[in-house]
Amino acid sequence: MRNNSSFQLSTLSVAVASALFSGAPVAQEQSTEQAPQTMREEVLVTATRREESVQDIPINITAVGANQIESQRLENLSDIARRVPGLTVVQQGNRSSNITTVRGLNTSSVTAQDGANDGGGTVSTYLGDIPFFVDLDLNDLNRVEVLIGPQGTLYGAGTLGGAIRYIPNKPMADEMTVALRGDVYDLSEADDLGADVGATINIPLVEDTLALRASIDYDDDPGFIDYTRIVRNPGVSLAAPDLDDPVAVRRNLRTKEDADYLETLAGRIALRYMGGPIDSTLTYYYQDREAGGRTINHQDASGTGQYESAHRYEEPADLENELLSLEFIADLGFAELTSATGYGEYTEKGQRDQTDLLLALFGFGDLYGYGYDTFPGFAAFTREDAKQETFTQELRLVSTGDGPINWIVGAFYSDFEEDAQSLEFTPGFMDYLIDEIGFSPLSDVSQAFFDANGPLEYIEVGTEKREELAFFGEIGVELGSWQATIGARWFEYDVEASGGFQTPLINIAFDEPQTAEDLDASVTPVVRTNEADDDDVILKFNTSYQFSDGVMAYATVSEGYRNGVANSVPACTPEELAGAQPLCAKPDEVLVKSDTTVNYELGLRTEGENHIFNAAVYYIEWDDIRVDGVTEFGGLPIFVNGSEARSQGIELAGQLQVTDALVVEGTYAYNDAELRETAPGIIEGEFIEATVLADNVDGQKGDRLPGTPEHSVYLSTTYTCGLDGGSSLDFNWNMTAQSDVLTKVGNRASGEELDGFAIHNVALTWYTDNLSVSLYGDNVFDKYYETGVRRDMSYIADVGLFDLRRYYTNVGRPRQVGLRFNYDF
């Protein structure tokens, strides 16, 4: 049962929502003073490396300023994406990495991306001037800039589809300020309240010269998914007892309520020096996210509720990001010199249920001889560790003259390293093989290994090293109302990937090692290295014409790319191919070259006294697509080059000030993305009992790409009432809606259509000079919606000795009702 305060909070928010939706005459509450102007403030951006208003930039850019982030309670990239036409974030919950795409450039199945600390790889993410991927909590930011389309001639990191820039507030040396913020909320499916608190302080150290700024935030999200079938005693308890027998269920299974909780601690400290022509900022950023589990259900696979998981183990993950950066700007008179240096670390430690993967691949005892499916207590889990280190250096010169010619020239270097390890455990299985199947007892050395390491069934290790060097630049000419810009980028990269695998439990069971040397051969992965390198040149052309002060049209042709990779799966040797379970890659499965895009776009930007309207139409060619695949031997996940695709669409954004007190804004995006030719093996195969897994399926010309809706809409209305004493009340309603999404290319191989949905949010906010208090409701109608799946429904199968359920559904966040405040002093 909810506590009384939670119930009252929900009731009051629903009442506010009802008043807004019913059109109650809230204007009667305002004072006799005229309501203040509520048109969104002008946002100045540096997307083109010069400070300009968004409406003056002849490229496709959306900027969300600090005022909008606060007033509409934007908390993360998913919230931003709903307001940016062309940008899609597929929500995968607190534990998994969300998939970020631009204009439909995605071929991967819409499924959780464990360990993918790149958001899908088609969009570059910046924190200030440093390329650094993190799904950032939007606290103490000046703005967020979203650039749609390749940006490799303007930015250090290459981009395939676009760039996202988080621009923090800089330290200021003019006055000391302190800001406090807080939020307490109730989720309709959670047992506890959630809370989010934070503070920012700005301290001038030397007047007009030196300043320090620091912020810290803690978010305790309660979660709303219950894990209802966790095994009580792994390897002993029945993993699948009779669910109609309450005694058997209680004896073998337990429940973890609100298992997908998330605790986030984030902080930033920055020291800024402003002396003469020099402006330099040293910043340390930290974010730690402790997630409890997945935001999923097994409703179709196991008959759970909409907000229940049937996994046998809890699935915690600790995701930590750190970044140390130095941004240096010097005014040279003829140009501005910028140096941006960054060193970042990402670490991940997690556990996940692996039972269904092993049953799907290596169950059916008669087929493989492992007998996982014959063990009544079989339930497996995996522990994963990964660490990434990234160093980047960008140097850039930007002209500052007033003449008709302007230019940018820059150089970029990055060095990336990753080490990862995955350990798979099958509690009780070795004892089962010995006691029930009749395998030989363990030797002393083998017993000592399992005593030290636990029931270790599988080991995977991998490292990756990437280096990139690039030179880029643009030159433009402006003659009256017309301008034209050409740009180019030369780049080269080297990739080295090492990987190895081993199956110690099976090796020990069958090989029966008696000596330390034999044991070492059975349990140590054989690591081999694959390498790749490439270089290329990409180009850009942009032109625009200013018809009047408020009307501009532009045209852009720009090329983008994503670095190729070397898969870490080792190349096959004759000895491995002769073995019982080869885990290796064929020669054509080792190297993956860069995939590239060519973006053609026409755009219109208009602005009047009470309105803004922007429009763009685009056509994109996407070649040598990087897609998910698996090796022929062992079914190990790898990347491969696919075929060709194209994406085309329309993007609209507008804002209208209906009266002094009422503002309406909205966006619309239409996207049509499909394959241009047959794509061999692009689609993950189905589950087939006789052969365990079907071969990957070919995509066909005209197949729609997955993950992006054809239609997406955002609408918002804000009504402001001025009150006596200079305070005001804001009434806001906003809605985001999208059409259906495919889970696989062309819905082949048991792909699905995830239904479209609309989410409504409302808020009532009181503003004074230094305080805002907001009562809000997100997803006020408590809409249930699905955002992704794992595998497909062919993995729901009765295969005799067990029920396979390697399928689940990612679900969206239920109704959230809260009270939020911001106080500046």
Side-chain angles (χ1 to χ4, degrees):
M1 293 294 292
R2 301 287 185 270
N3 57 51
N4 289 334
S5 62
S6 174
F7 176 77
Q8 292 168 358
L9 190 61
S10 300
T11 303
L12 182 54
S13 179
V14 171
V16 173
S18 300
L20 290 178
F21 284 118
S22 64
V26 293
Q28 296 177 7
E29 299 294 327
Q30 72 184 69
S31 74
T32 56
E33 298 178 10
Q34 182 178 353
Q37 298 282 336
T38 56
M39 195 74 168
R40 187 192 304 173
E41 82 279 8
E42 180 182 38
V43 180
L44 298 179
V45 299
T46 55
T48 59
R49 301 309 190 182
R50 297 175 177 88
E51 188 173 81
E52 300 175 88
S53 171
V54 169
Q55 289 300 112
D56 295 333
I57 299 177
I59 61 176
N60 194 318
I61 176 175
T62 299
V64 181
N67 287 349
Q68 189 180 14
I69 291 173
E70 177 185 338
S71 64
Q72 297 194 11
R73 308 174 318 283
L74 309 183
E75 296 183 351
N76 50 45
L77 185 57
S78 295
D79 293 336
I80 296 290
R82 295 189 184 103
R83 291 151 175 80
V84 178
L87 180 66
T88 302
V89 174
V90 180
Q91 299 176 69
Q92 304 290 277
N94 292 332
R95 188 192 186 282
S96 302
S97 177
N98 293 333
I99 305 171
T100 304
T101 63
V102 168
R103 292 177 169 174
L105 299 180
N106 177 62
T107 60
S108 300
S109 299
V110 183
T111 189
Q113 304 293 301
D114 286 322
N117 189 45
D118 61 358
T122 62
V123 180
S124 293
T125 303
Y126 286 77
L127 185 54
D129 264 338
I130 309 299
F132 183 67
F133 176 79
V134 59
D135 193 351
L136 189 70
D137 285 351
L138 307 182
N139 296 314
D140 194 32
L141 290 183
N142 179 272
R143 64 190 182 275
V144 178
E145 301 175 5
V146 181
L147 294 89
I148 303 297
Q151 305 296 330
T153 62
L154 269 177
Y155 290 86
T159 62
L160 185 72
I164 298 168
R165 303 181 69 212
Y166 299 103
I167 310 298
N169 288 314
K170 288 189 174 184
M172 303 300 294
D174 51 356
E175 64 175 337
M176 180 173 176
T177 61
V178 177
L180 302 177
R181 49 191 170 269
D183 187 5
V184 59
Y185 56 89
D186 172 65
L187 289 171
S188 64
E189 298 294 328
D191 291 333
D192 297 315
L193 293 177
D196 186 355
V197 295
T200 299
I201 185 170
N202 184 90
I203 306 174
L205 300 176
V206 179
E207 184 176 0
D208 297 329
T209 304
L210 189 67
L212 180 74
R213 190 179 187 94
S215 65
I216 187 168
D217 290 88
Y218 176 74
D219 184 3
D220 184 4
D221 186 86
F224 54 91
I225 298 294
D226 297 339
Y227 276 38
T228 60
R229 302 183 190 174
I230 302 172
V231 291
R232 287 188 179 275
N233 190 353
V236 177
S237 300
L238 296 179
D242 183 357
L243 298 179
D244 294 326
D245 183 348
V247 175
V249 171
R250 286 194 301 270
R251 182 181 297 124
N252 294 282
L253 306 178
R254 63 181 178 89
T255 293
K256 171 68 174 178
E257 296 182 340
D258 299 337
D260 66 325
Y261 66 85
L262 178 65
E263 297 179 11
T264 303
L265 177 65
R268 180 170 62 93
I269 185 168
L271 181 67
R272 183 185 183 190
Y273 171 77
M274 298 158 283
I278 303 299
D279 188 342
S280 183
T281 304
L282 177 67
T283 305
Y284 172 74
Y285 171 80
Y286 176 84
Q287 179 170 290
D288 180 61
R289 296 163 64 92
E290 294 188 10
R294 301 181 190 276
T295 307
I296 62 171
N297 70 38
H298 285 87
Q299 185 173 223
D300 294 307
S302 299
T304 67
Q306 291 180 334
Y307 298 102
E308 294 179 345
S309 165
H311 276 321
R312 295 125 173 121
Y313 293 94
E314 295 183 49
E315 298 185 295
D318 186 2
L319 315 173
E320 183 179 86
N321 280 283
E322 293 180 89
L323 175 65
L324 180 65
S325 68
L326 176 62
E327 299 180 41
F328 174 88
I329 301 173
D331 186 352
L332 304 181
F334 70 97
E336 185 178 84
L337 171 66
T338 298
S339 171
T341 308
Y343 173 78
E345 289 189 359
Y346 167 78
T347 58
E348 175 183 343
K349 295 181 182 296
Q351 174 177 293
R352 57 188 171 92
D353 189 346
Q354 196 73 318
T355 308
D356 293 303
L357 171 66
L358 294 184
L359 289 176
L361 290 176
F362 306 117
F364 315 102
D366 291 339
L367 183 62
Y368 281 103
Y370 292 170
Y372 293 153
D373 50 307
T374 65
F375 177 34
F378 182 78
F381 65 93
T382 292
R383 288 180 181 153
E384 296 170 322
D385 295 283
K387 182 175 182 179
Q388 299 175 354
E389 297 181 7
T390 306
F391 173 80
T392 62
Q393 174 64 58
E394 180 176 344
L395 292 172
R396 184 174 65 248
L397 275 174
V398 180
S399 65
T400 56
D402 295 329
I405 304 297
N406 60 80
W407 50 267
I408 297 172
V409 62
F412 176 74
Y413 171 78
S414 70
D415 184 2
F416 170 87
E417 294 187 14
E418 178 181 35
D419 290 289
Q421 176 180 264
S422 179
L423 305 177
E424 201 168 84
F425 298 89
T426 53
F429 187 63
M430 179 61 81
D431 292 335
Y432 171 76
L433 291 178
I434 296 172
D435 296 339
E436 303 295 332
I437 305 300
F439 279 66
S440 299
L442 295 175
S443 65
D444 290 341
V445 293
S446 297
Q447 185 64 57
F449 173 80
F450 286 120
D451 288 343
N453 297 281
L456 184 57
E457 185 270 346
Y458 175 79
I459 305 172
E460 178 180 348
V461 295
T463 62
E464 181 180 355
K465 298 180 180 180
R466 292 200 307 260
E467 283 189 277
E468 180 180 7
L469 176 65
F471 297 97
F472 59 92
E474 294 186 353
I475 184 168
V477 59
E478 184 173 347
L479 299 174
S481 299
W482 172 80
Q483 75 82 31
T485 300
I486 58 173
R489 178 188 184 93
W490 173 86
F491 65 93
E492 68 172 7
Y493 63 86
D494 297 280
V495 183
E496 180 182 292
S498 302
F501 313 86
Q502 196 54 273
T503 55
L505 187 146
I506 295 301
N507 290 348
I508 289 173
F510 283 90
D511 298 339
E512 302 178 12
Q514 301 296 315
T515 66
E517 291 76 13
D518 292 340
L519 176 69
D520 187 64
S522 297
V523 303
T524 303
V526 178
V527 177
R528 291 194 293 272
T529 300
N530 300 324
E531 297 181 2
D533 62 81
D534 198 8
D535 62 87
D536 205 351
V537 174
I538 62 170
L539 303 173
K540 170 186 173 181
F541 173 74
N542 170 264
T543 186
S544 65
Y545 188 82
Q546 192 79 37
F547 292 95
S548 65
D549 287 344
V551 180
M552 175 182 65
Y554 67 87
T556 301
V557 180
S558 55
E559 296 180 316
Y561 75 100
R562 175 171 50 180
N563 282 342
V565 298
N567 287 310
S568 61
V569 180
C572 295
T573 65
E575 292 77 15
E576 284 173 318
L577 294 178
Q581 185 185 340
L583 301 169
C584 59
K586 300 186 337 185
D588 61 354
E589 296 173 338
V590 172
L591 304 181
V592 184
K593 60 183 180 179
S594 298
D595 50 345
T596 59
T597 55
V598 182
N599 184 85
Y600 304 89
E601 181 174 338
L602 296 175
L604 177 69
R605 290 188 172 274
T606 69
E607 183 176 13
E609 183 177 349
N610 65 347
H611 76 274
I612 294 173
F613 177 73
N614 299 327
V617 295
Y618 61 88
Y619 181 88
I620 301 173
E621 298 174 349
W622 188 13
D623 295 331
D624 295 320
I625 304 167
R626 182 199 298 180
V627 298
D628 297 321
V630 295
T631 59
E632 179 177 333
F633 301 111
L636 301 172
I638 57 172
F639 289 120
V640 298
N641 283 117
S643 182
E644 298 180 2
R646 68 108 175 104
S647 179
Q648 59 189 10
I650 301 171
E651 296 161 357
L652 307 175
Q655 188 178 59
L656 175 65
Q657 184 149 357
V658 182
T659 69
D660 286 340
L662 178 63
V663 170
V664 178
E665 59 182 311
T667 66
Y668 169 75
Y670 168 74
N671 175 259
D672 175 24
E674 63 180 35
L675 292 176
R676 296 174 63 188
E677 61 181 29
T678 299
I682 196 175
I683 305 164
E684 178 186 85
E686 299 171 281
F687 175 83
I688 297 178
E689 180 180 348
T691 57
V692 183
L693 294 175
D695 293 334
N696 278 17
V697 177
D698 295 346
Q700 301 299 316
K701 181 178 180 180
D703 279 353
R704 178 181 158 192
L705 301 187
T708 300
E710 287 187 317
H711 305 276
S712 57
V713 177
Y714 166 71
L715 289 175
S716 174
T717 63
T718 301
Y719 188 83
T720 300
C721 299
L723 303 176
D724 292 330
S727 64
S728 65
L729 282 176
D730 268 14
F731 300 84
N732 176 262
W733 161 84
N734 65 75
M735 180 271 293
T736 59
Q738 68 176 55
S739 60
D740 64 83
V741 168
L742 302 190
T743 62
K744 292 186 180 182
V745 173
N747 257 7
R748 300 183 183 277
S750 296
E752 301 173 57
E753 274 191 18
L754 299 181
D755 292 338
F757 55 86
I759 302 299
H760 298 263
N761 308 314
V762 295
L764 170 64
T765 306
W766 176 58
Y767 291 99
T768 67
D769 289 340
N770 58 354
L771 173 66
S772 68
V773 180
S774 179
L775 174 65
Y776 68 89
D778 293 338
N779 190 7
V780 291
F781 297 123
D782 209 12
K783 173 70 175 178
Y784 169 80
Y785 59 101
E786 300 172 346
T787 61
V789 299
R790 181 173 72 173
R791 301 296 178 176
D792 57 65
M793 285 195 178
S794 73
Y795 285 79
I796 305 173
D798 178 0
V799 292
L801 293 175
F802 64 94
D803 292 330
L804 184 68
R805 57 188 190 195
R806 200 182 177 212
Y807 171 89
Y808 59 60
T809 301
N810 297 96
V811 298
R813 198 170 177 86
R815 180 174 57 234
Q816 177 174 325
V817 179
L819 190 66
R820 182 185 182 111
F821 79 90
N822 288 273
Y823 181 66
D824 300 321
F825 61 92

